[in-house]
């Protein structure tokens, strides 16, 4: 029974009519419209829902609202607003202590709760106070810096430095006119698809790439502002939307800067040239005499002026991008590569409604979908009458084995979901391996392909042969388990069906591909569906976002006329998302006299890394499509042979070896649902390659840095290794910092054509507990021309932290009853206390192409940690994760 309850929220008395047992989180979000606190787990494990109650930071996802009557409640909205920021919020912006930003309000309030108790907390105080706040993007160390900045004791140096000017400009982005347009511009040549001059003296940029926390909106805005010679404040970046955005497919593979970044650069250069040409005709002055100052075109000789908005405000260009305008000379850059702020952080530190979970439309109702107990279960029956009469239930939706509830309130939908779960009967047996996973995988049917220059090819696989001049041959096998995306915010979507049309608000990685996939399942035309991207918690690949979009669409089709917000539970997210696939990598290499590698063999076994839904045919990769009354079949996995795709990504090392044999063993039948996880096969392959390079260096009695440099011909690769070694004082590494301390190095160029990354990690290993503590990480990277130095550094740092978490903690556990990793306790990740100091060196290459960087640190990280552990305690760890039990086992085994 609902009662009227009075709450003290942000200094005001607020009356709400709710059940006294309703969790405070849902009252704040849905009754008071305060969306800053987030649902992340529902079990007080993640900290995303924290607010300050009576001066202390408290989770609210289980806290009954009746328990806080009479107590002062402070939410992120009450701490500060976009136009009146609190100093702590300002510090988070200054340190760019966020990526996706889903955890940020909870982090800020946890920090403020600490500052309410301690005016000058130590680093250890910060780690302890924020230990229960999770960040999946990996910005813990930036949060620590922000708190230190707030208390007046900032870190003395930036956590990154930029080294300038490594390449002559003649090797850069200056093309002969006409310029050969990149693929994305050839597919979307209409200039109006990319840029619009508005009447309010702003400029809107359009992109088909979506914001996932990687800062693409800021990078695109910087590129556009630079090429158009306007201030960053004048630039708007439109939300990706099938109604107006160019179709750029999926936002994957660290390709956004190379595709949409280059497209915006060329389109903006063309607009700039067009407007200068119009001014030239109007002023009758040579173009080279005209200058542009923040969108105003001046003729210094006559004093005449006009502006972009006077010339073209509100008008369409009505022409294609032709590639006739040269981009600016990097020597004249005023924005690119310079320190700058993310354009979207103010909203995120203030809890503004920027996430799909926060959307709130008039008449909105709440949906939940019941997942079967396991992959093979099919519905026999359920007690519809019982569920239909539960409090707040508007409709129970059934379509075959697809079951959902639609309710007036969110907490009612959660309760109805559990009632539905208890009233269902299912059939079907779950068949999962009852033996060691890796033995099982190696014995499964497979297709094998030779990998040549990064591309898998069909043909005879050559046998492994040890060369006669080898003085030593080494063998090692490396293992990577199933691992999760485990987004901090469970997957969600909003759907509205009206008059045969469907609108979807989603956090998919591509609005056009998901529109095609859903149209196929619903039997609709694509132009009957509009898909709008809205941000969510970082996804790091193909998580449950697309599945949630279909869930919402099916509920909306069954209940048209009302917007439906659909959210997964934490258990849904952990047990039903597509996982990163397990891998086994067997290595063999031979050394000649003098320590030169003369033979290299790399065999990788892996389940599929690409499981996205593709339109057409009778198959679908979307979860609920398998459960409807007329189900779609699951796609039969097929090997992808293209360059550095799937399991053979980065299997072909950049090192110069006289003989190499690299084989991809494609194992199609995974026991668990799998798809693309950040960096695909590069994480496992680089772990194996760089760990093995360390083993070879040790066998050859050559310093690991020197050993790598001897086997590299690429000068840019050598430069990042040397930069990392210099920053880490590698030459003095024998001056040990203490017993059981060690340092390790690893290197890779992502896909052998994108960002170069060298990484040095310092660790301490407790030989009694097996705990591995990360003390310091040095990252050196070359991503070509830098657009946003802070954004690039943040991506590299976050990739390192997430990869370190995979390496030390993460593994999907399962048994014959199904997935047992169902929450943050059963699937632990790296937390604040094990976050190292991170120092990043960015090697800027003015004028050279942008190189994708978002996944570049993912592969070197596990090898650098493994190599550091060997340096510390003399054990080689080849199976991820490096749990304390595994470390202790290796130490005891000698």
């Amino acid at each position: 029974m609902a009662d009227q309850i009075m709450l003290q929220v942000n200094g005001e008395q607020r009356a709400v009519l709710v059940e006294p047992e309703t969790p405070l989180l849902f009252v704040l979000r849905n009754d008071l419209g305060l969306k800053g606190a987030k649902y992340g787990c529902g079990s007080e494990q993640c900290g995303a829902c924290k607010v300050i109650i009576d001066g202390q930071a408290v989770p609210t996802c289980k806290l009954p609202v009746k328990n806080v009557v009479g107590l002062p409640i402070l939410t992120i909205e009450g701490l500060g607003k976009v136009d009146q920021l609190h100093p702590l919020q300002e510090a988070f912006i200054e340190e760019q202590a966020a990526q996706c930003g889903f955890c940020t309000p909870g982090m800020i309030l946890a920090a403020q709760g600490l500052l309410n108790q301690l005016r000058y907390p130590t680093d250890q105080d910060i780690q302890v106070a924020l230990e229960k706040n999770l960040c999946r993007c990996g910005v813990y160390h930036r949060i620590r810096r922000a708190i230190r900045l707030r208390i007046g004791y900032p870190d003395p140096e930036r956590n990154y430095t930029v080294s300038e000017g490594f390449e002559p400009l003649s090797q850069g982005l200056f093309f002969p006119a006409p310029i050969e347009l990149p693929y994305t511009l050839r597919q979307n040549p209409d200039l109006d698809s990319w840029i619009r001059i508005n009447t309010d003296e702003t400029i809107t940029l359009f992109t088909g790439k979506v914001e996932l926390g990687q800062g693409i909106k800021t990078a695109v805005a910087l590129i556009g502002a630079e090429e158009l010679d306007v201030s960053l404040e004048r630039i708007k970046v439109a939300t990706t939307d099938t109604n107006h955005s160019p179709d750029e497919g999926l936002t994957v593979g660290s390709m956004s800067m190379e595709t949409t970044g280059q497209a915006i650069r060329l389109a903006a250069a063309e607009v700039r040239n067009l407007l200068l040409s119009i001014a030239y005709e109007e002023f009758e002055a040579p173009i080279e005499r005209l200058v542009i100052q923040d969108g105003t075109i001046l003729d210094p000789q006559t004093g005449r002026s006009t502006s972009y908005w006077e010339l073209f405000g509100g008008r369409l260009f009505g022409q294609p991008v032709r590639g006739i305008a040269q981009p600016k000379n990097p020597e004249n850059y005023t924005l690119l590569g310079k320190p700058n702020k993310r354009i979207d952080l103010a909203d995120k530190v203030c809890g503004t409604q920027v996430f799909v979970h926060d959307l709130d439309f008039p008449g909105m109702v709440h949906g939940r979908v019941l997942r079967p107990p396991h992959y093979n279960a099919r519905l026999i029956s359920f007690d519809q009458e019982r569920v239909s009469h539960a409090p707040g239930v508007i409709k129970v939706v059934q379509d075959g084995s697809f079951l959902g509830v639609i309710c007036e309130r969110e907490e009612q939908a959660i309760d109805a979901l559990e009632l539905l779960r208890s009233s269902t009967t299912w059939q079907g047996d779950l068949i999962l391996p009852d033996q060691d996973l890796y033995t099982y995988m190696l014995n499964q049917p497979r297709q094998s392909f030779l990998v040549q220059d990064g591309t898998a090819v069909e043909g005879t696989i050559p046998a492994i042969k040890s060369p006669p001049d080898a003085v030593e041959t080494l063998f090692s096998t490396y293992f990577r388990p199933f691992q999760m995306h485990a987004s901090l915010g469970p997957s969600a979507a909003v759907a509205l069906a009206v008059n045969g049309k469907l609108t979807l608000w989603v956090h998919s990685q591509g609005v056009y591909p998901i529109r095609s996939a859903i149209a196929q399942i619903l039997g609709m035309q694509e132009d009957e569906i509009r898909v709008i991207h809205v941000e969510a918690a970082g996804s790091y690949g193909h998580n449950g976002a697309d599945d949630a979009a279909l869930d919402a669409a099916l509920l909306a089709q069954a209940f048209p006329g009302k917007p439906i917000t659909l959210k997964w539970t934490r258990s849904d997210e952990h047990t039903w998302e597509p996982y990163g696939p397990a891998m086994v990598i067997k290595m063999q290499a031979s050394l000649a006299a003098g320590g030169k590698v003369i033979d290299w063999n790399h065999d990788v076994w892996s389940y599929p890394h690409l499981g996205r839904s593709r339109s057409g045919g009778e198959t679908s990769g979307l979860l609920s499509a398998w459960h409807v009354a007329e189900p779609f079949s699951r796609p039969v996995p097929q090997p992808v042979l293209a360059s550095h795709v799937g399991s053979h990504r980065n299997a072909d090392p950049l090192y110069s070896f006289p003989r190499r044999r690299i084989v991809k063993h494609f194992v199609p039948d995974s026991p668990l649902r799998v798809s693309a996880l950040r960096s695909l096969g590069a994480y496992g392959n680089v772990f194996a390659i760089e760990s093995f390079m360390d083993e070879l260096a040790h066998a050859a009695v050559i310093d690991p840095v020197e050993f790598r440099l001897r086997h590299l011909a690429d000068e840019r690769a050598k430069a990042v290794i040397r930069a990392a070694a210099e920053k880490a004082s590698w030459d003095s590494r024998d001056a040990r910092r203490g017993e059981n301390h060690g340092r390790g190095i690893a290197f890779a160029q992502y896909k052998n054509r994108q960002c170069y990354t060298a990484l040095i990690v310092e660790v301490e290993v407790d030989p009694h507990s097996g705990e591995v503590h990360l003390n310091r990480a040095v990252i050196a990277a070359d991503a070509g021309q830098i657009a946003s130095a802070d954004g690039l550094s943040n991506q590299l740092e976050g990739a390192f932290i997430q990869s370190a978490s995979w390496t030390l903690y993460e593994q999907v556990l399962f048994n014959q009853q199904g997935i047992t990793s169902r929450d943050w306790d059963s699937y632990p990740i790296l937390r604040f206390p094990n976050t190292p100091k991170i120092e990043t060196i960015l090697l800027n290459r003015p004028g050279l192409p942008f190189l994708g960087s978002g996944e570049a640190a993912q592969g070197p990280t596990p090898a650098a940690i493994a190599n550091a552990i060997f340096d510390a305690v003399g054990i080689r760890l080849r199976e991820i994760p490096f749990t304390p039990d595994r470390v202790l086992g290796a130490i005891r085994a000698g």
Side-chain angles (χ1 to χ4, degrees):
M1 187 73 179
D3 293 340
Q4 179 166 303
I5 294 176
M6 296 299 297
L7 298 174
Q8 298 179 33
V9 182
N10 298 331
E12 298 179 1
Q13 291 289 325
R14 305 292 298 271
V16 294
L17 188 64
V18 296
E19 296 271 357
E21 297 294 331
T22 303
L24 176 61
L25 174 65
F26 301 125
V27 175
L28 294 173
R29 290 178 58 81
N30 301 326
D31 293 283
L32 301 182
L34 301 171
K35 303 287 189 176
K38 301 289 188 286
Y39 176 93
C41 64
S43 54
E44 300 183 348
Q45 294 178 353
C46 72
C49 64
K50 282 185 177 178
V51 301
I52 293 178
I53 300 175
D54 200 19
Q56 297 187 35
V58 177
T60 60
C61 59
K62 294 177 66 176
L63 178 64
V65 66
K66 67 179 184 180
N67 290 9
V68 298
V69 172
L71 298 177
I73 301 167
L74 178 70
T75 72
I76 194 70
E77 294 88 349
L79 188 69
K81 303 184 186 305
V82 172
D83 58 353
Q84 192 174 359
L85 293 169
H86 184 275
L88 185 56
Q89 293 168 317
E90 291 179 335
F92 267 64
I93 292 175
E94 179 64 30
E95 292 293 342
Q96 301 212 28
Q99 284 190 23
C100 78
F102 195 86
C103 73
T104 302
M107 286 286 187
I108 291 175
L109 292 178
Q112 186 59 46
L114 170 64
L115 297 180
N116 289 343
Q117 309 299 318
L118 288 174
R119 180 66 186 91
Y120 300 107
T122 65
D123 284 357
Q124 185 174 5
D125 292 330
I126 294 170
Q127 291 173 354
V128 171
L130 275 68
E131 181 176 5
K132 293 184 179 180
N133 283 69
L134 302 183
C135 173
R136 196 62 172 139
C137 296
V139 297
Y140 294 124
H141 67 113
R142 285 178 175 253
I143 293 170
R144 180 193 60 78
R145 289 173 61 92
I147 296 170
R148 289 184 60 84
L149 178 62
R150 169 66 185 99
I151 65 175
Y153 289 94
D155 284 6
E157 298 178 352
R158 272 191 175 274
N159 57 310
Y160 72 89
T161 56
V162 179
S163 298
E164 296 280 0
F166 283 85
E167 296 287 347
L169 296 176
S170 61
Q171 297 182 24
L173 288 168
F174 299 97
F175 311 100
I179 298 167
E180 182 179 355
L181 298 179
Y183 174 80
T184 190
L185 273 180
R186 296 198 302 272
Q187 293 295 111
N188 304 277
D190 185 1
L191 189 54
D192 294 301
S193 296
W194 298 95
I195 299 178
R196 192 162 301 160
I197 308 294
N198 304 315
T199 56
D200 62 355
E201 298 193 350
T202 63
I203 297 172
T204 299
L205 306 178
F206 300 91
T207 170
K209 299 299 184 182
V210 302
E211 180 61 68
L212 302 168
Q214 80 279 39
I216 189 61
K217 283 187 175 180
T218 297
V220 162
L222 284 166
I223 293 167
E226 186 70 80
E227 289 295 338
L228 290 165
D229 279 321
V230 299
S231 64
L232 190 60
E233 290 72 24
R234 292 193 187 273
I235 297 292
K236 301 176 182 179
V237 181
T239 297
T240 310
D241 184 333
T242 53
N243 266 18
H244 59 237
S245 301
D247 183 357
E248 292 193 87
L250 295 165
T251 306
V252 294
S254 298
M255 290 295 296
S256 294
M257 289 299 292
E258 297 177 36
T259 54
T260 205
Q262 181 68 339
I264 289 290
R265 164 184 267 139
L266 295 178
E270 199 130 329
V271 167
R272 183 178 185 275
N273 186 67
L274 172 65
L275 296 175
L276 278 172
S277 298
I278 296 172
Y280 150 75
E281 293 180 359
E282 183 176 312
F283 294 168
E284 297 182 346
I287 283 183
E288 58 270 17
R289 197 171 78 198
L290 303 180
V291 297
I292 303 175
Q293 297 177 356
D294 197 18
T296 295
I297 304 174
L298 303 167
D299 180 354
Q301 185 168 314
T302 65
R304 297 183 65 186
S305 68
T306 185
S307 72
Y308 291 170
W309 301 278
E310 292 172 16
L311 294 175
F312 240 88
R315 295 168 55 192
L316 297 178
F317 297 110
Q319 65 183 52
V321 180
R322 294 173 292 175
I324 59 173
Q326 287 285 346
K328 283 175 66 175
N329 188 320
E331 291 181 337
N332 299 324
Y333 284 167
T334 60
L335 293 173
L336 289 186
K338 314 299 182 186
N340 52 72
K341 303 284 197 305
R342 279 264 299 267
I343 64 174
D344 56 349
L345 283 194
D347 285 331
K348 292 181 177 180
V349 302
C350 293
T352 305
Q353 298 178 20
V354 298
F355 298 104
V356 67
H357 309 73
D358 302 336
L359 293 177
D360 195 358
F361 299 129
M364 179 174 279
V365 293
H366 299 266
R368 291 292 189 276
V369 168
L370 178 65
R371 296 288 170 222
H374 57 75
Y375 291 150
N376 298 330
R378 291 295 178 266
L379 181 67
I380 296 298
S381 64
F382 74 103
D383 191 340
Q384 183 166 359
E385 183 73 13
R386 180 183 174 206
V387 178
S388 297
H389 288 89
V393 173
I394 300 171
K395 187 178 182 67
V396 179
V397 178
Q398 181 194 8
D399 185 351
S401 292
F402 174 84
L403 281 176
V405 289
I406 301 171
C407 298
E408 296 172 0
R409 295 181 58 87
E410 187 168 5
E411 69 274 11
Q412 292 170 339
I414 292 172
D415 291 342
L417 178 67
E418 294 311 309
L419 183 62
L420 185 60
R421 191 186 313 279
S422 67
S423 71
T424 54
T425 303
W426 304 85
Q427 71 174 6
D429 295 324
L430 180 64
I431 304 173
L432 291 176
D434 58 0
Q435 58 181 299
D436 174 76
L437 170 64
Y438 304 116
T439 302
Y440 175 80
M441 178 192 294
L442 292 172
N443 288 323
Q444 286 182 271
R446 62 181 183 268
Q447 296 172 263
S448 299
F449 305 89
L450 190 66
V451 178
Q452 297 179 337
D453 296 323
T455 300
V457 297
E458 299 188 48
T460 304
I461 306 298
I464 299 176
K465 297 180 180 179
S466 296
D469 53 342
V471 298
E472 187 170 4
T473 297
L474 275 66
F475 311 82
S476 289
T477 303
Y478 302 86
F479 305 92
R480 180 252 180 104
F482 292 107
Q483 293 176 314
M484 292 186 191
H485 303 80
S487 298
L488 191 66
S491 297
V494 174
L496 174 63
V498 177
N499 299 326
K501 304 282 188 179
L502 178 66
T503 302
L504 292 168
W505 292 263
V506 306
H507 59 108
S508 171
Q509 289 180 283
V511 293
Y512 288 97
I514 190 60
R515 182 179 70 170
S516 298
I518 289 177
Q520 172 197 5
I521 293 161
L522 300 182
M524 299 177 68
Q525 298 297 312
E526 289 187 18
D527 61 6
E528 295 175 326
I529 301 175
R530 179 184 181 186
V531 180
I532 303 165
H533 182 267
V534 186
E535 292 182 53
S539 62
Y540 327 108
H542 177 201
N543 70 344
D546 291 353
D547 298 311
L550 177 58
D551 292 343
L554 289 169
L555 293 182
Q557 291 288 86
F559 192 69
K562 291 270 191 179
I564 299 174
T565 177
L566 178 283
K567 300 184 182 77
W568 282 17
T569 66
R570 172 50 51 196
S571 180
D572 288 340
E573 193 73 29
H574 270 46
T575 57
W576 283 97
E577 66 145 89
Y579 303 127
M583 300 173 69
V584 177
I585 304 103
K586 294 188 176 183
M587 309 292 295
Q588 176 180 323
S590 296
L591 293 168
K596 181 180 179 182
V597 176
I598 55 173
D599 184 65
W600 180 271
N601 295 276
H602 180 129
D603 286 77
V604 52
W605 284 258
S606 176
Y607 295 120
H609 288 257
L610 304 175
R612 293 184 186 276
S613 188
R614 300 182 184 278
S615 58
E618 300 299 320
T619 67
S620 174
L622 296 177
L623 196 55
S624 290
W626 308 340
H627 299 144
V628 293
E630 297 182 7
F632 288 73
S633 300
R634 304 182 191 191
V636 177
Q638 300 295 327
V640 179
L641 307 184
S643 178
H644 289 279
V645 175
S647 62
H648 64 281
R649 179 166 291 177
N650 276 97
D652 193 359
L654 202 65
Y655 299 109
S656 300
F657 301 138
R659 182 182 182 275
R660 64 178 68 202
R661 173 192 167 277
I662 300 157
V663 180
K664 165 180 179 160
H665 303 285
F666 177 74
V667 186
D669 189 14
S670 172
L672 305 184
R673 188 185 184 205
V674 291
S675 191
L677 176 61
R678 192 176 188 176
S679 82
L680 306 186
Y683 173 75
N685 286 319
V686 177
F687 164 53
I689 291 167
E690 288 297 298
S691 296
F692 200 48
M693 285 292 286
D694 230 58
E695 296 188 39
L696 290 164
H698 183 73
V701 196
I702 300 174
D703 176 81
V705 168
E706 178 60 28
F707 188 76
R708 286 167 171 80
L709 293 175
R710 288 186 188 184
H711 288 89
L712 282 168
D714 189 319
E715 291 300 323
R716 293 173 74 175
K718 293 179 181 180
V720 295
I721 291 174
R722 289 180 176 130
E726 180 181 355
K727 184 69 173 178
S729 302
W730 186 269
D731 289 344
S732 61
R733 65 192 303 270
D734 290 333
R736 302 184 66 85
R737 289 172 166 77
E739 190 176 5
N740 305 319
H741 288 68
R743 286 192 280 190
I745 185 169
F747 158 81
Q749 183 187 18
Y750 190 51
K751 302 182 195 174
N752 286 11
R753 64 175 183 80
Q754 293 184 291
C755 181
Y756 299 82
T757 306
L759 212 153
I760 293 174
V761 177
E762 298 178 3
V763 305
E764 179 181 0
V765 181
D766 187 330
H768 304 292
S769 69
E771 295 282 349
V772 178
H773 188 75
L774 305 175
N775 290 336
R776 183 190 185 201
V778 174
I779 306 168
D782 173 354
Q785 169 68 60
I786 295 174
S788 167
D790 238 318
L792 173 58
S793 178
N794 207 336
Q795 283 295 289
L796 292 164
E797 297 157 15
F800 164 74
I801 289 293
Q802 187 178 73
S803 185
S805 181
W806 292 355
T807 302
L808 295 177
Y809 302 101
E810 298 186 38
Q811 177 177 8
V812 177
L813 300 176
F814 59 93
N815 57 29
Q816 288 298 294
Q817 283 69 52
I819 309 298
T820 59
S821 299
R822 306 182 69 88
D823 56 21
W824 296 117
D825 285 344
S826 53
Y827 189 83
I829 68 172
L830 188 146
R831 295 172 181 258
F832 241 106
N834 201 13
T835 302
K837 177 182 180 181
I838 304 178
E839 301 159 78
T840 305
I841 308 101
L842 307 176
L843 278 59
N844 193 18
R845 305 284 185 173
L848 292 187
F850 302 124
L851 298 179
S853 60
E855 298 157 291
Q858 220 78 23
T861 298
I865 294 173
N867 297 337
I869 292 171
F870 174 77
D871 187 49
V873 291
I875 60 171
R876 290 289 183 190
L877 295 178
R878 302 184 181 96
E879 182 175 348
I880 291 170
F882 304 159
T883 61
D885 286 346
R886 192 159 283 151
V887 173
L888 281 179
I891 291 174
R892 289 166 183 163

